Amino acid sequence: MGIPSVTRFLSKINYSISSGNLYDIEFSFPPQPAFKGGKPSLGDWLAQATNAPDYSRKTKPLDTEIISMLANEVQIPGVNMTSQDVRGVKKGINMKPAMAKVYNEMDLSFILDVNSTPMRFFQAWQDYIAGNFEGAEFNGDPYGPLFAKKEKQAFATSFYNDYVCDVTIKKYEKFDGTNYDNFHIKLVKAYPYMVSSIPYSAASSQVVKLSVGMYYEYSTRITPPKQRKKSD
């Protein structure tokens, strides 16, 4: 074949390479009644707990778009193959046949806005998992004084299907000056198992970031039905 020319190489890759800053992340909370078994649904709880305190006591819908906009780093999780040793197939030959796929956890990083919205979002999600939303007010700030003063003697962890949701990472590419859908990675039944510490310092002002780790059952790659242009 010989050494390919620069022109041939560029034509093979359509004169472009993948851009690391063209992505989106979407949280798909399952439709549930506002109150199920005497407790709020995950989406309803996050809508109340994520928004900054509204002293007019008006309920605002859950805005996950701002969470996506503040996503500083998003990783497509890797996959490892587990294997089993099979010795002595032939003299001196060992085999490692594949046994199963192991999906790595997902790590995310967010920039905090003035309301620390990502922190509110993921901490409230973990509170919902732990079940310590009991006693919270739902006609205003659920983390108000009444909630803070209530002593928690024990928690009843929420049911698994009540606190998980699908997370979709959408990868876009720029072609002819326009961003197009390339592929989606769907993480099925995910939830945040880790929310990092947030360091503050008296030194020069810097952007405050939050790291989040998420578990999920498995991931799958989805080709968009059409090469849709990314909406602004």
Side-chain angles (χ1 to χ4, degrees):
M1 184 177 64
I3 301 176
S5 64
V6 174
T7 303
R8 182 179 176 185
F9 171 73
L10 292 176
S11 65
K12 288 289 186 180
I13 63 172
N14 293 325
Y15 295 88
S16 182
I17 59 175
S18 182
S19 300
N21 60 350
L22 297 176
Y23 61 86
D24 197 3
I25 184 169
E26 182 179 274
F27 298 88
S28 302
F29 294 100
Q32 295 178 351
F35 284 84
K36 178 182 177 181
K39 71 175 183 180
S41 67
L42 176 60
D44 187 66
W45 165 256
L46 291 177
Q48 292 282 352
T50 299
N51 293 312
D54 183 359
Y55 296 103
S56 65
R57 298 192 178 279
K58 294 180 180 179
T59 302
K60 297 180 180 179
L62 177 60
D63 183 11
T64 57
E65 183 180 16
I66 189 173
I67 304 297
S68 174
M69 290 179 175
L70 293 172
N72 180 56
E73 291 183 2
V74 174
Q75 295 181 358
I76 294 178
V79 180
N80 296 326
M81 299 297 299
T82 60
S83 61
Q84 182 179 3
D85 289 338
V86 178
R87 300 179 181 276
V89 177
K90 292 183 179 181
K91 187 176 181 179
I93 296 179
N94 298 329
M95 295 176 58
K96 288 181 175 291
M99 300 297 294
K101 295 172 69 174
V102 178
Y103 297 90
N104 299 337
E105 61 268 17
M106 179 175 63
D107 296 320
L108 306 170
S109 174
F110 295 87
I111 295 173
L112 297 188
D113 60 349
V114 69
N115 290 323
S116 297
T117 304
M119 181 200 72
R120 294 172 180 267
F121 180 82
F122 289 103
Q123 286 186 348
W125 195 341
Q126 288 188 325
D127 285 341
Y128 188 90
I129 295 171
N132 54 345
F133 52 82
E134 299 292 341
E137 297 179 272
F138 288 96
N139 58 350
D141 182 8
Y143 286 89
L146 294 179
F147 178 69
K149 290 180 180 179
K150 183 177 180 181
E151 295 183 2
K152 309 296 190 302
Q153 301 297 330
F155 299 114
T157 305
S158 300
F159 289 108
Y160 177 75
N161 285 336
D162 289 344
Y163 63 75
V164 295
C165 82
D166 294 341
V167 179
T168 303
I169 300 172
K170 299 180 179 181
K171 184 65 180 76
Y172 301 99
E173 298 295 350
K174 186 178 292 293
F175 187 75
D176 289 339
T178 306
N179 296 339
Y180 288 91
D181 262 346
N182 190 5
F183 61 85
H184 298 172
I185 300 294
K186 184 178 181 180
L187 310 180
V188 178
K189 293 189 175 181
Y191 71 91
Y193 76 91
M194 185 277 295
V195 176
S196 70
S197 303
I198 303 176
Y200 297 109
S201 173
S204 59
S205 178
Q206 297 180 351
V207 173
V208 182
K209 297 181 180 180
L210 176 74
S211 296
V212 177
M214 300 193 75
Y215 286 142
Y216 59 98
E217 293 187 2
Y218 65 93
S219 64
T220 181
R221 180 168 57 87
I222 300 174
T223 300
K226 294 181 180 179
Q227 295 296 313
R228 300 182 302 273
K229 183 173 67 174
K230 180 182 178 183
S231 58
D232 295 327

